[in-house]
Amino acid sequence: FSLGRTLLKALVPGVSGPKVSDVAARRPDVPSTVQAILARATAWDPEDRFPTMRELRAALKQVAEKLGA
């Protein structure tokens, strides 16, 4: 959860308590797949989040590979 919040703050600096919807509105260059990962990483219910950091890392790595990063 904390890493997801940190990533949100990095993507939309200056926004107090940013949400995934802020990323969509302020950063149209951020792919919807990244937004979906952020939404899952910052889900209010822990059961809806990535169960492990390894799974979050794998999801981010997969998106990075698709984007050619």
Side-chain angles (χ1 to χ4, degrees):
F1 182 81
S2 295
L3 178 58
R5 299 294 299 162
T6 300
L7 292 172
L8 281 173
K9 288 182 180 186
L11 287 171
V12 284
V15 175
S16 179
K19 300 178 180 114
V20 176
S21 59
D22 293 323
V23 174
R26 295 173 181 260
R27 294 289 308 274
D29 59 313
V30 175
S32 60
T33 51
V34 173
Q35 294 174 34
I37 290 170
L38 291 171
R40 185 172 176 196
T42 59
W44 185 252
D45 186 345
E47 293 293 320
D48 294 334
R49 297 181 203 147
F50 289 94
T52 66
M53 286 301 295
R54 182 170 287 166
E55 290 186 44
L56 172 57
R57 179 179 174 259
L60 289 170
K61 185 177 179 181
Q62 183 179 28
V63 169
E65 288 171 353
K66 285 183 182 178
L67 296 174

